[in-house]
Amino acid sequence: MNRVRIGILGASSYTGLELVKLLANHSRVVTSFLSSQSYAGKKFSEVFPEMLGACDDVFVLPQDATSIEVDCVLACLPHAVSASLLEPYIKKGIRVIDLSADFR
Protein backbone atom coordinates (compact mmCIF):
# COMPACT_ATOMS: atom_id res chain seq x y z
CA MET A 1 0.00 0.00 0.00
CA ASN A 2 1.47 3.36 -1.04
CA ARG A 3 1.44 6.07 1.57
CA VAL A 4 0.93 9.72 0.71
CA ARG A 5 3.70 11.97 2.03
CA ILE A 6 2.23 15.23 3.25
CA GLY A 7 3.57 18.46 4.63
CA ILE A 8 1.58 20.95 6.67
CA LEU A 9 2.49 24.62 6.51
CA GLY A 10 1.26 26.45 9.58
CA ALA A 11 0.82 23.27 11.59
CA SER A 12 0.81 25.20 14.87
CA SER A 13 -2.45 26.96 13.97
CA TYR A 14 -5.84 25.71 15.12
CA THR A 15 -6.52 24.29 11.65
CA GLY A 16 -3.07 22.70 11.58
CA LEU A 17 -3.65 21.04 14.94
CA GLU A 18 -6.98 19.62 13.77
CA LEU A 19 -5.35 18.30 10.56
CA VAL A 20 -2.60 16.59 12.53
CA LYS A 21 -5.22 15.03 14.81
CA LEU A 22 -7.19 13.75 11.80
CA LEU A 23 -4.16 12.42 9.96
CA ALA A 24 -2.08 11.08 12.88
CA ASN A 25 -3.49 7.58 12.65
CA HIS A 26 -4.41 7.51 8.98
CA SER A 27 -2.99 4.34 7.47
CA ARG A 28 -2.29 5.90 4.06
CA VAL A 29 -0.63 9.13 5.24
CA VAL A 30 2.86 9.85 6.49
CA THR A 31 3.80 13.33 7.66
CA SER A 32 6.99 14.55 5.99
CA PHE A 33 7.04 17.93 7.71
CA LEU A 34 5.14 20.23 10.02
CA SER A 35 6.08 23.88 9.75
CA SER A 36 5.80 26.77 12.14
CA GLN A 37 7.51 30.13 12.12
CA SER A 38 7.12 30.52 15.89
CA TYR A 39 7.87 26.98 17.07
CA ALA A 40 10.61 25.80 14.69
CA GLY A 41 12.88 23.33 16.48
CA LYS A 42 10.25 22.31 19.05
CA LYS A 43 8.33 19.05 19.05
CA PHE A 44 4.68 19.22 18.08
CA SER A 45 3.84 17.50 21.36
CA GLU A 46 5.71 20.19 23.32
CA VAL A 47 3.39 22.82 21.89
CA PHE A 48 0.32 20.57 22.05
CA PRO A 49 0.86 18.23 25.05
CA GLU A 50 -2.34 16.32 24.28
CA MET A 51 -0.57 14.97 21.18
CA LEU A 52 2.29 13.35 23.14
CA GLY A 53 2.95 9.96 21.60
CA ALA A 54 0.55 10.62 18.70
CA CYS A 55 2.77 13.22 17.03
CA ASP A 56 6.26 14.04 18.24
CA ASP A 57 7.54 15.49 14.94
CA VAL A 58 9.76 18.56 15.18
CA PHE A 59 8.52 21.80 13.60
CA VAL A 60 10.61 23.24 10.76
CA LEU A 61 10.62 26.75 9.36
CA PRO A 62 8.28 27.07 6.36
CA GLN A 63 11.10 28.23 4.10
CA ASP A 64 13.22 25.18 5.08
CA ALA A 65 10.45 22.73 4.22
CA THR A 66 10.68 23.24 0.44
CA SER A 67 13.56 20.75 0.17
CA ILE A 68 11.63 17.96 1.92
CA GLU A 69 10.02 15.37 -0.39
CA VAL A 70 6.23 15.40 -0.32
CA ASP A 71 3.31 14.35 -2.49
CA CYS A 72 0.95 17.02 -1.16
CA VAL A 73 1.19 20.18 0.94
CA LEU A 74 -1.66 21.46 3.09
CA ALA A 75 -1.50 25.14 3.99
CA CYS A 76 -3.04 26.38 7.24
CA LEU A 77 -1.71 29.90 6.99
CA PRO A 78 -3.20 33.37 7.41
CA HIS A 79 -4.79 35.07 4.42
CA ALA A 80 -2.22 36.46 1.96
CA VAL A 81 0.61 34.28 3.31
CA SER A 82 -0.13 31.02 1.49
CA ALA A 83 0.45 32.27 -2.05
CA SER A 84 4.15 33.02 -1.65
CA LEU A 85 4.94 29.95 0.47
CA LEU A 86 3.09 27.56 -1.83
CA GLU A 87 4.68 28.85 -5.04
CA PRO A 88 7.77 26.55 -4.86
CA TYR A 89 5.54 23.48 -4.49
CA ILE A 90 3.26 24.53 -7.33
CA LYS A 91 6.28 25.07 -9.59
CA LYS A 92 7.45 21.51 -8.79
CA GLY A 93 4.02 20.12 -9.68
CA ILE A 94 3.24 19.09 -6.11
CA ARG A 95 -0.42 19.11 -5.17
CA VAL A 96 -1.41 21.81 -2.71
CA ILE A 97 -4.51 22.25 -0.62
CA ASP A 98 -4.86 25.77 0.70
CA LEU A 99 -7.18 26.18 3.65
CA SER A 100 -6.90 29.98 3.55
CA ALA A 101 -8.60 32.22 1.00
CA ASP A 102 -5.55 32.77 -1.24
CA PHE A 103 -6.35 30.15 -3.88
CA ARG A 104 -10.16 30.09 -3.71
Side-chain angles (χ1 to χ4, degrees):
M1 170 179 9
N2 290 336
R3 296 178 82 190
V4 178
R5 300 169 299 173
I6 63 147
I8 301 176
L9 293 170
S12 62
S13 67
Y14 174 77
T15 306
L17 169 61
E18 293 303 314
L19 272 174
V20 172
K21 285 179 182 178
L22 287 169
L23 298 174
N25 294 313
H26 195 292
S27 64
R28 302 262 334 258
V29 171
V30 62
T31 305
S32 294
F33 73 80
L34 301 174
S35 84
S36 172
Q37 194 71 42
S38 304
Y39 297 111
K42 290 190 175 197
K43 286 184 177 183
F44 191 81
S45 58
E46 282 181 67
V47 179
F48 302 106
E50 69 272 24
M51 296 299 292
L52 185 64
C55 182
D56 297 313
D57 296 359
V58 175
F59 285 109
V60 298
L61 289 169
Q63 54 272 32
D64 293 344
T66 58
S67 63
I68 299 170
E69 299 237 358
V70 292
D71 300 307
C72 180
V73 174
L74 298 113
C76 308
L77 299 165
H79 178 64
V81 176
S82 292
S84 63
L85 289 175
L86 288 174
E87 188 175 349
Y89 302 101
I90 294 168
K91 285 183 176 180
K92 291 179 187 178
I94 295 170
R95 292 180 188 205
V96 299
I97 299 171
D98 183 16
L99 300 171
S100 76
D102 286 11
F103 287 102
R104 286 189 190 169

